[in-house]
Amino acid sequence: MTAPTTPRPATGDPIETLRDLTLGKWISQAIYVAAELGIADHLKDGPRTVAALAAATGASADGVARLMRALVGLGVFADAGDARFKLAPMGELLRSDLPVSLRGWVRYMGHDVSWRPWGQLVESVRTGEPAFDRIFGMGAFDYMSAHPDVAAIFNDAMTAVSMMETMAVVAAYDFAGITTLADVGGGHGFLLASILKAHPQMRGILFDLAHAEEGAAALLAREGVADRCRIESGDMFARVPEGADACIMKHIIHDWDDAHSLTLLGHCHRALPAGGKLLIVDVVVPPGDEPHFGKILDLEMLVVTHGGRERDKAEFRRLLAAAGFTLTRVVPTLAPVSVVEGVKS
Ligand SMILES: C[S@@+](CC[C@H](N)C(=O)[O-])C[C@H]1O[C@@H](n2cnc3c(N)ncnc32)[C@H](O)[C@@H]1O
């Protein structure tokens, strides 16, 4: 498992390099449309012509032909001869029927709920305020709660990201010794289910807003850990579940400013026993000028969240200390996230 490709400036001609970097918008939307139309699913049983793909997806033959030509050029699909197209390895990742799929991620990245706020990044940079709220009139998580169809797309995206990261986290961090693990803001619970599967004696508590409950129940059952994991719904800024000796939060702290993070970490501190572990799974921004996934992800936080940000190790250390935890170590993984381990002091 490798880290996702980071936009990486080529070393060649600056004109070409800058132009190519700005093509990201076109490329992202083209891949999104392929995912939205389900083209990969229509190719999973073998090559098909443009006419067949257009008929299957209800799209215009001319549009599909041009989309496929562009995406063959990018290596997502391939020419199978006889005017037919087939899946390339990247295209396989857009199938909806495989356990490792990026379809959910791609659908979120190109969906209005993400696309429109990014179109107003300039306002977020000018004001420091989330463009999301300006456009949709409320915060992203309130919007998800009010729009289950959009929440489903977002949760699928999180599950797709989780799939990429979970194997890396389970391989890198030693969870042995934890009896009950609470996953706070655990979404549909893919991370928790994977940890429980790797540790048959461990029990889990999956905590999130009510909108995640149905998908979570299905996922835990599918993964065969429902009997060892209870689901609790609630607002993590009001409480977190009692009864765990460790709390894990993946892509949660980066959603919030320091004040909200401290409220949340304070609840974890109260809920955990002495010596209890706090495990924050997030990007830890490395020092230096090298390109890093977290440096671009940080802009997503700027556009979508109220004060969310990617933090470096010193910032995590200060945050944990202010909440009564000692940062004991930062465990890197093969994915762009690390496990920031704190112990209740
Ligand atoms: C970025 S997602 C991360 C999901 C999951 N941990 C993962 O890594 O795949 C943030 C999660 O926080 C949850 N969340 C947001 N506000 C919350 C709140 N006030 N109480 C509980 N969960 C909340 C969302 O529903 C969502 O599942």
Side-chain angles (χ1 to χ4, degrees):
M1 167 135 195
T2 55
T5 306
T6 303
R8 186 174 293 274
T11 48
D13 174 30
I15 295 177
E16 273 183 29
T17 303
L18 187 59
R19 184 203 60 198
D20 287 353
L21 285 174
T22 62
L23 299 188
K25 178 184 79 167
W26 295 349
I27 294 169
S28 182
Q29 194 64 221
I31 299 171
Y32 162 75
V33 172
E36 196 60 29
L37 295 181
I39 287 182
D41 287 339
H42 292 298
L43 291 176
K44 73 179 162 60
D45 295 323
R48 300 186 78 174
T49 61
V50 161
L53 288 173
T57 58
S60 99
D62 181 56
V64 170
R66 293 158 79 175
L67 182 71
M68 295 306 286
R69 181 173 64 182
L71 291 176
V72 167
L74 291 166
V76 178
F77 301 112
D79 189 339
D82 295 336
R84 292 173 311 154
F85 294 100
K86 63 180 181 182
L87 292 171
M90 277 196 283
E92 293 278 354
L93 293 171
L94 298 181
R95 284 173 58 172
S96 57
D97 62 330
L98 295 181
V100 176
S101 170
L102 285 182
R103 183 165 182 260
W105 167 259
V106 170
R107 287 186 72 212
Y108 171 69
M109 292 295 275
H111 190 279
D112 249 17
V113 79
S114 172
W115 195 255
R116 287 174 61 198
W118 266 86
Q120 294 196 17
L121 172 63
V122 66
E123 287 305 320
S124 289
V125 171
R126 281 198 179 114
T127 63
E129 299 295 327
F132 189 99
D133 297 40
R134 277 169 57 94
I135 293 168
F136 294 107
M138 64 181 93
F141 291 120
D142 290 336
Y143 188 85
M144 304 289 171
S145 293
H147 297 85
D149 51 330
V150 179
I153 289 173
F154 176 74
N155 284 325
D156 278 353
M158 289 305 106
T159 298
V161 173
S162 241
M163 282 180 178
M164 290 188 284
E165 296 171 344
T166 292
M167 281 185 325
V169 169
V170 173
Y173 185 80
D174 183 6
F175 291 91
I178 295 174
T179 308
T180 303
L181 179 62
D183 188 348
V184 175
H188 287 173
F190 186 75
L191 172 70
L192 186 56
S194 303
I195 297 169
L196 292 178
K197 279 163 77 174
H199 299 274
Q201 305 306 320
M202 195 186 287
R203 305 191 70 80
I205 308 170
L206 182 60
F207 187 77
D208 205 294
L209 294 168
H211 72 73
E213 204 167 313
E214 196 182 320
L219 191 146
L220 296 177
R222 195 167 66 237
E223 297 297 323
V225 294
D227 58 333
R228 285 191 285 134
C229 187
R230 72 171 195 263
I231 299 173
E232 280 190 33
S233 295
D235 176 5
M236 63 194 178
F237 294 106
R239 66 174 192 96
V240 303
E242 304 270 341
D245 52 336
C247 251
I248 192 162
M249 287 184 280
K250 181 159 85 62
H251 292 316
I252 300 298
I253 293 299
H254 81 152
D255 283 338
W256 304 99
D257 60 18
D258 284 1
H260 279 85
S261 299
L262 281 174
T263 302
L264 181 49
L265 294 178
H267 290 318
C268 294
H269 193 268
R270 274 185 291 281
L272 286 170
K277 279 185 183 159
L278 174 73
L279 306 174
I280 295 174
V281 182
D282 259 326
V283 166
V284 177
V285 179
D289 298 334
E290 286 302 301
H292 190 272
F293 179 68
K295 294 176 183 176
I296 294 292
L297 182 62
D298 186 50
L299 296 181
E300 168 85 357
M301 298 303 113
L302 180 61
V303 164
V304 174
T305 70
H306 290 258
R309 60 196 308 113
E310 303 307 324
R311 295 176 169 87
D312 62 24
K313 185 175 175 181
E315 288 170 323
F316 276 116
R317 189 186 296 284
R318 279 197 296 275
L319 201 57
L320 264 59
F325 291 96
T326 305
L327 190 157
T328 37
R329 57 193 173 129
V330 173
V331 180
T333 76
L334 285 178
V337 292
S338 298
V339 183
V340 179
E341 181 193 75
V343 172
K344 177 169 171 172
S345 30

